[in-house]
């Protein structure tokens, strides 16, 4: 899709030149450098990401103007060239780029579609490290083909998943390219700036402004970044084993939201007993300060260490919210600590989050949205729909951009995990889960990586069984349940779910 030309100031222009071109040494006929590829060839989003370099860290220095409601920013990237580069690209959309410097030397740049092409004044040899500094501004209310910005009455939040982090800051926007992150957010006094990780510094500045600095201790995928500004209060509490829990709550709703926020320590304790110690330095909830039903098209989003929520959802009684709060917490392990290597591997995130979220629900005797109270009953119901879902939405591990977040990646993923547990038994299943998390801690993993770990841990080749469940066009027989049947396919049915407005419907069975 192409955003309206009128709103793409600085991006709709065919070429936006940042500085006068400089001669670059070593660019004659014997030059060995080439422009870096402008894609990582993701099977779902083929234009997303860039190659030829890796980003080791981002530092985002953002300032919010409450009068204009605009954001000015400086993104500082530390990169390492994986090939000799005469030019490299970043993902960027809707950002008004003012200048770019590479190792403190002016670089030329141009913006074309969703790419920001950077030409340093000298070639970057393979293996070299460089610092890239991009100065830019952004309008969180700008209309774009897709956006991560969530404007609120007193500021903004961001929801980058899956492919919109680059509407907030220039980046290599792909989950396989995780990096360290630091943030400095400057806001008018009376507002608070918040980001992933731990607060490391608060500075009182001239002009009645305050700067908040945060750092994430673990690498992070760009789609998991959270930056928010508004009238919030931070509520601290302690989780299991002294884990610091931090909730960022609209000041006017702090009391009303407390019953939901107080559930987190128990949720963490339950999950740690199954998946091991919580993987990050802190966790908490961010009920975004907006009641606009169009603000974002989901209930919760697992931005790392700080899950974004619609506040009204959390005002419900525990049995209405506990299962989904568990779903989002599980993402700290599956999706955040271990990120998908491609967007086709999303079932690893959503299937696991729904699997443990449903287990938590049924252990407490809470009926689900279908009125069912056991995992077996829900899986039998899901199993009956298997061929229809494969017909409408493709196999579990073969999504496209339209059906990426439909029920096949959520409940379909749960069904795969349930079948595997039925095959190998609960003890072996949990051994596989923990081994997979340990093997790919703070990295990204593919579906084939999960299959390889499953085979290694169980001592048997699981590739045939899991491949049939993940990639087959028909639903395999369910181990332990020879009586379960699959409904015939009704070819006239439309695909059950689709993207809307750049985000997705709530298809989690934990709601």
């Amino acid at each position: 899709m192409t955003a309206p030309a009128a709103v793409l100031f600085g991006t709709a222009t065919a070429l936006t030149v940042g500085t006068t071109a400089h001669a670059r040494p070593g660019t004659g006929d014997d030059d060995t450098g080439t422009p870096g590829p402008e894609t990582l060839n993701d099977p779902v989003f083929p234009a997303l990401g860039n190659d030829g370099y890796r980003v080791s860290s981002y530092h985002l220095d953002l300032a919010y103007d409450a009068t204009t409601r605009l954001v000015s920013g400086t993104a500082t990237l530390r990169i390492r060239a994986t090939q000799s580069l005469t030019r490299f690209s970043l993902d960027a959309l809707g950002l008004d780029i003012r200048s770019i410097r590479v190792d403190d030397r002016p670089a030329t740049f141009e913006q074309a579609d969703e790419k920001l092409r950077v030409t340093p004044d000298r070639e970057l040899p393979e293996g070299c490290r460089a610092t890239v500094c991009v100065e830019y501004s952004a309008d969180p209310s700008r209309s774009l083909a897709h956006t991560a910005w969530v404007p609120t009455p007193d500021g903004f939040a961001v929801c980058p998943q899956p492919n919109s982090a680059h509407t907030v800051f220039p980046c290599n926007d792909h989950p396989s390219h995780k990096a360290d992150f630091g943030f400095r957010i400057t806001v008018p006094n009376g507002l608070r700036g918040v980001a992933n990780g731990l607060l490391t510094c608060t500075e009182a500045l001239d002009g009645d402004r305050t700067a908040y600095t945060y750092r994430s201790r673990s690498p992070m995928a760009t789609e998991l970044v959270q930056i928010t500004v508004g009238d919030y209060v931070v509520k601290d509490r302690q989780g299991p084993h002294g884990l610091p829990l931090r909730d960022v709550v609209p000041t006017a709703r702090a009391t009303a939201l407390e019953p939901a926020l107080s559930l987190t320590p128990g949720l963490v304790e339950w999950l740690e007993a199954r998946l091991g110690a919580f993987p990050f330095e802190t966790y908490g909830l961010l009920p975004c300060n907006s009641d606009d039903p169009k603000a974002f098209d989901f209930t919760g989003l697992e931005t790392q260490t700080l899950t974004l929520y619609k506040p009204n959802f959390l005002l419900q009684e525990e049995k209405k919210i506990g299962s989904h709060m568990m779903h989002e917490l599980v993402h700290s392990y599956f999706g955040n600590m271990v990120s998908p290597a491609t967007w086709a591997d999303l079932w690893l995130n959503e299937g696991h989050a729904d699997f443990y979220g449903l287990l938590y629900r049924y252990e407490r005797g809470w009926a689900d949205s279908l009125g069912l109270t056991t995992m077996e009953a829900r899986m039998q119901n899901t199993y009956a729909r298997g061929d229809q879902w494969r017909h409408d939405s493709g196999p579990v591990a073969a999504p496209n951009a339209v059906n990426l977040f439909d029920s096949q990646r959520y409940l379909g993923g749960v069904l795969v995990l349930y079948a595997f547990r039925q095959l190998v038994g609960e003890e072996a299943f949990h051994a596989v889960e923990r081994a997979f998390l340990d093997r790919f801690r703070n990295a990204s993993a593919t579906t084939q990586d999960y299959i390889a770990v499953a085979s290694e841990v169980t001592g048997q080749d699981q590739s045939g069984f899991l491949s049939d469940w993940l990639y087959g066009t028909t639903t395999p027989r369910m181990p332990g349940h020879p009586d379960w049947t699959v409904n015939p396919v009704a070819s006239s049915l439309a695909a059950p779910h689709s993207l809307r407005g750049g985000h997705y419907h709530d298809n989690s069975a934990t709601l």
Side-chain angles (χ1 to χ4, degrees):
M1 294 183 288
T2 302
V7 301
L8 286 179
F9 175 76
T11 56
T13 308
L15 297 181
T16 304
V17 179
T19 64
T20 303
H22 295 267
R24 299 192 313 279
T27 56
D29 294 338
D30 60 346
D31 179 29
T32 58
T34 59
E38 295 185 354
T39 175
L40 290 172
N41 296 309
D42 186 89
V44 177
F45 298 108
L48 200 62
N50 308 273
D51 212 348
Y53 67 95
R54 294 294 301 239
V55 181
S56 60
S57 68
Y58 295 87
H59 183 78
L60 305 180
D61 191 341
L62 305 182
Y64 175 68
D65 187 320
T67 301
T68 64
R69 300 180 63 81
L70 301 179
V71 175
S72 60
T74 300
T76 303
L77 290 66
R78 289 282 296 161
I79 71 171
R80 180 179 61 84
T82 57
Q83 67 180 68
S84 295
L85 292 171
T86 58
R87 188 185 76 197
F88 60 91
S89 58
L90 299 165
D91 297 303
L93 173 65
L95 304 178
D96 300 324
I97 309 298
R98 294 196 295 266
S99 69
I100 301 180
R101 301 180 72 86
V102 178
D103 284 339
D104 208 31
R105 302 171 69 92
T108 59
F109 64 88
E110 61 186 29
Q111 294 175 260
D113 296 323
E114 299 189 24
K115 296 298 178 181
L116 172 60
R117 296 169 180 154
V118 181
T119 303
D121 77 336
R122 56 185 63 189
E123 181 181 308
L124 300 181
E126 181 179 358
C128 85
R129 299 183 183 275
T131 299
V132 181
C133 186
V134 184
E135 294 186 0
Y136 67 99
S137 60
D139 180 354
S141 297
R142 178 174 290 171
S143 178
L144 298 169
H146 60 95
T147 184
W149 296 101
V150 180
T152 63
D154 51 3
F156 63 85
V158 300
C159 51
Q161 193 185 75
N163 63 333
S164 294
H166 62 278
T167 65
V168 178
F169 62 101
C171 57
N172 203 355
D173 197 2
H174 195 268
S176 65
H177 282 225
K178 301 171 78 163
D180 294 332
F181 273 85
F183 307 86
R184 185 173 184 265
I185 308 166
T186 301
V187 297
N189 290 347
L191 300 181
R192 186 180 292 267
V194 180
N196 312 82
L198 293 176
L199 178 66
T200 61
C201 181
T202 302
E203 306 168 74
L205 305 177
D206 293 337
D208 296 322
R209 298 176 303 148
T210 303
Y212 298 89
T213 300
Y214 296 82
R215 183 155 190 84
S216 179
R217 290 181 183 171
S218 301
M220 186 162 56
T222 51
E223 52 117 355
L224 302 175
V225 164
Q226 181 55 256
I227 306 167
T228 191
V229 168
D231 182 9
Y232 291 97
V233 60
V234 175
K235 304 187 73 173
D236 295 310
R237 71 190 79 226
Q238 192 172 90
H241 318 297
L243 174 69
L245 298 177
R246 168 196 62 157
D247 297 311
V248 180
V249 193
T251 301
R253 301 185 183 200
T255 300
L257 287 165
E258 179 58 25
L261 305 178
S262 67
L263 298 175
T264 299
L267 294 164
V268 174
E269 184 175 13
W270 186 92
L271 192 56
E272 285 190 332
R274 288 150 181 82
L275 298 181
F278 187 77
F280 299 118
E281 64 271 29
T282 186
Y283 182 70
L285 306 187
L286 167 62
C288 183
N289 196 17
S290 175
D291 291 317
D292 183 355
K294 298 179 181 179
F296 44 92
D297 195 19
F298 51 85
T299 296
L301 182 67
E302 64 273 17
T303 45
Q304 193 160 304
T305 71
L306 190 63
T307 294
L308 180 69
Y309 264 107
K310 289 183 175 179
N312 285 338
F313 173 79
L314 295 174
L315 295 175
Q316 302 178 92
E317 59 184 327
E318 181 182 2
K319 67 180 182 180
K320 297 288 188 181
I321 63 176
S323 181
H324 194 263
M325 289 178 69
M326 179 59 70
H327 171 109
E328 298 299 343
L329 181 62
V330 172
H331 279 312
S332 295
Y333 297 78
F334 291 97
N336 295 13
M337 181 178 77
V338 180
S339 298
T342 75
W343 282 109
D345 302 306
L346 180 75
W347 79 274
L348 287 167
N349 299 18
E350 304 302 346
H352 277 100
D354 258 17
F355 181 84
Y356 290 100
L358 287 173
L359 286 179
Y360 185 77
R361 173 188 290 278
Y362 299 134
E363 279 191 15
R364 276 143 189 78
W366 300 333
D368 61 26
S369 60
L370 302 180
L372 304 174
T373 57
T374 67
M375 180 68 90
E376 287 71 23
R378 188 60 185 261
M379 289 300 95
Q380 185 173 9
N381 178 279
T382 304
Y383 184 82
R385 309 180 193 201
D387 282 2
Q388 187 69 56
W389 284 6
R390 290 170 190 266
H391 173 271
D392 294 342
S393 299
V396 174
N400 58 40
V402 173
N403 63 34
L404 177 62
F405 287 101
D406 73 6
S407 291
Q408 183 72 308
R409 262 41 77 185
Y410 289 76
L411 264 177
V414 177
L415 193 65
V416 173
L417 296 172
Y418 178 85
F420 181 51
R421 190 181 67 170
Q422 287 289 108
L423 178 72
V424 301
E426 190 161 347
E427 183 177 350
F429 173 77
H430 285 297
V432 169
E433 296 281 272
R434 290 210 180 199
F436 176 74
L437 292 172
D438 288 342
R439 180 78 53 84
F440 295 99
R441 178 179 297 270
N442 292 329
S444 301
T446 66
T447 297
Q448 293 306 313
D449 289 328
Y450 186 84
I451 294 173
V453 171
S455 299
E456 178 183 326
V457 172
T458 62
Q460 296 181 324
D461 184 359
Q462 305 292 351
S463 58
F465 178 86
L466 287 172
S467 292
D468 287 347
W469 276 94
L470 289 163
Y471 298 106
T473 56
T474 58
T475 307
R477 299 299 297 270
M478 177 61 71
H481 292 290
D483 56 317
W484 286 11
T485 57
V486 182
N487 296 335
V489 172
S491 59
S492 61
L493 291 183
H497 308 287
S498 63
L499 287 172
R500 181 177 70 194
H503 298 298
Y504 51 89
H505 294 272
D506 278 319
N507 294 316
S508 170
T510 59
L511 286 165

